[in-house]
Amino acid sequence: MQKLKLTTDQNVPIEVELASIGQRLLAVLLDVVILVSYFFIMMILIMIIFSTNFSIFDQHSYDFWVIFFSIMVYLPFVLYTPMMEYFTKGQTIGKMALGIRVTKVNGENAKFKDYFTRWLFRPYEMYIFMIAFGGIMALIASFFFDTLISSISSKNQRIGDFMANTVVVRKRPKKVYSIRDILAIRSNQNYTPQYLGVSMYTDEDMMLVKNVISRVEAYKNKATKELAIELADKIADDLKMEETPKKKLKFLKTILNDYIVLTR
């Protein structure tokens, strides 16, 4: 699985797993199936409902049919991708099914203009190949073009992603920390806990502590050190300590080990 190291606007480094090209194509195909199904179902319903009441030869009926078709069929069909991604924070139904989402290259949530930009360049690519090939070949050619550009890009970005400064990532990374990871840190049979108050915390709290420790060890920079200091100060305050130990990382590791001994 291809990974990407990002730096947030707060200068905090994070590591994400990029969605594979196969996942992205499958998500697009699923969305296409959904959209085509919606289009034909709505067309059939409109024909059933209005065929006996309206005539295409009557100007008023024709105008109403065009307006109704545009609102109920055409607009949802065309704007499905940007609107879905905006309201679900980077996902369409296809992306939900594949567990992937769109995000900014700095790890932040994209904004509507970013989703709109990505969508705007999808039709652009389609029109290029529609002129050259036409029909179903335009769709096949567009998939091939997207795949080619994404495979060349180090971040699996297509043209729309380049223009919007976005990437598509896995929503649930393959590697996530669990309480089993915490319990496997070390054997504590002969270990005497120093901070008995840590038992008030939860497994989720200690997973956060472990993640901070891992991040500090992986990224030795000012941002991660400040994160560790802030967490250490918070824990010291919770435990009603007079002051936070000077060696913050060692303190966090001790807190984690104490929790294991007192709660396992």
Side-chain angles (χ1 to χ4, degrees), residues 152-215:
I152 295 174
S153 168
S154 61
K155 300 176 183 176
N156 288 357
Q157 292 174 298
R158 64 177 180 84
I159 289 180
D161 289 313
F162 281 117
M163 300 304 296
N165 203 29
T166 57
V167 291
V168 182
V169 301
R170 288 176 58 92
K171 189 175 181 181
R172 300 180 183 85
K174 284 187 174 181
K175 176 59 179 177
V176 294
Y177 289 111
S178 66
I179 190 59
R180 182 174 297 177
D181 297 315
I182 295 176
L183 297 179
I185 292 176
R186 56 174 289 184
S187 174
N188 296 285
Q189 293 180 354
N190 300 316
Y191 180 83
T192 302
Q194 300 179 42
Y195 305 102
L196 302 180
V198 297
S199 56
M200 66 178 177
Y201 293 114
T202 64
D203 292 347
E204 289 74 19
D205 295 329
M206 290 301 105
M207 282 186 238
L208 172 61
V209 173
K210 186 178 188 299
N211 281 326
V212 170
I213 293 172
S214 299
R215 181 168 295 181

Side-chain angles (χ1 to χ4, degrees), residues 3 7 10 17 34 78 80 89 116-117 131 148 168 171 180 191-192 196 201-202 219 221 240-241:
K3 295 185 178 181
T7 301
Q10 291 74 36
E17 293 181 1
I34 292 172
V78 172
Y80 162 79
K89 297 187 183 301
F116 185 80
T117 300
I131 294 173
L148 178 63
V168 182
K171 189 175 181 181
R180 182 174 297 177
Y191 180 83
T192 302
L196 302 180
Y201 293 114
T202 64
Y219 307 101
N221 56 38
K240 303 188 184 306
M241 298 171 59

Side-chain angles (χ1 to χ4, degrees), residues 12-253:
V12 177
I14 58 175
E15 188 175 69
V16 297
E17 293 181 1
L18 292 173
S20 67
I21 295 175
Q23 287 176 311
R24 296 182 63 170
L25 287 177
L26 286 175
V28 171
L29 286 173
L30 180 56
D31 286 329
V32 168
V33 170
I34 292 172
L35 287 173
V36 171
S37 299
Y38 172 81
F39 183 85
F40 281 108
I41 290 173
M42 290 301 297
M43 286 294 295
I44 292 172
L45 289 176
I46 289 174
M47 291 177 63
I48 293 174
I49 295 173
F50 295 109
S51 61
T52 57
N53 298 319
F54 294 91
S55 172
I56 60 173
F57 300 105
D58 180 74
Q59 185 63 42
H60 294 292
S61 297
Y62 180 78
D63 290 342
F64 178 83
W65 187 90
V66 170
I67 294 172
F68 184 85
F69 177 84
S70 299
I71 295 175
M72 297 301 297
V73 181
Y74 185 71
L75 285 180
F77 185 89
V78 172
L79 298 177
Y80 162 79
T81 298
M83 297 305 294
M84 275 291 295
E85 289 180 345
Y86 174 70
F87 287 112
T88 61
K89 297 187 183 301
Q91 292 186 293
T92 59
I93 295 176
K95 289 184 177 69
M96 290 179 187
L98 273 295
I100 59 178
R101 64 184 288 265
V102 178
T103 183
K104 296 289 288 183
V105 294
N106 63 356
E108 304 290 335
N109 289 327
K111 297 180 180 180
F112 179 75
K113 66 177 182 178
D114 303 313
Y115 299 127
F116 185 80
T117 300
R118 295 183 77 255
W119 166 83
L120 192 63
F121 279 85
R122 172 77 70 181
Y124 178 71
E125 297 160 7
M126 285 288 290
Y127 295 149
I128 292 176
F129 288 101
M130 200 170 291
I131 294 173
F133 299 99
I136 190 65
M137 290 301 296
L139 181 62
I140 297 174
S142 180
F143 278 142
F144 174 78
F145 185 69
D146 269 354
T147 302
L148 178 63
I149 296 298
S150 298
S151 61
I152 295 174
S153 168
S154 61
K155 300 176 183 176
N156 288 357
Q157 292 174 298
R158 64 177 180 84
I159 289 180
D161 289 313
F162 281 117
M163 300 304 296
N165 203 29
T166 57
V167 291
V168 182
V169 301
R170 288 176 58 92
K171 189 175 181 181
R172 300 180 183 85
K174 284 187 174 181
K175 176 59 179 177
V176 294
Y177 289 111
S178 66
I179 190 59
R180 182 174 297 177
D181 297 315
I182 295 176
L183 297 179
I185 292 176
R186 56 174 289 184
S187 174
N188 296 285
Q189 293 180 354
N190 300 316
Y191 180 83
T192 302
Q194 300 179 42
Y195 305 102
L196 302 180
V198 297
S199 56
M200 66 178 177
Y201 293 114
T202 64
D203 292 347
E204 289 74 19
D205 295 329
M206 290 301 105
M207 282 186 238
L208 172 61
V209 173
K210 186 178 188 299
N211 281 326
V212 170
I213 293 172
S214 299
R215 181 168 295 181
V216 171
E217 292 178 339
Y219 307 101
K220 300 183 183 299
N221 56 38
K222 183 179 179 181
T224 55
K225 289 179 180 178
E226 289 179 351
L227 182 64
I229 291 172
E230 183 178 348
L231 180 59
D233 289 340
K234 176 65 170 62
I235 293 176
D237 183 63
D238 290 343
L239 297 177
K240 303 188 184 306
M241 298 171 59
E242 294 183 359
E243 62 178 0
T244 308
K246 294 182 179 180
K247 296 182 178 181
K248 304 298 190 297
L249 189 60
K250 182 179 179 181
F251 172 63
L252 292 177
K253 291 180 178 180

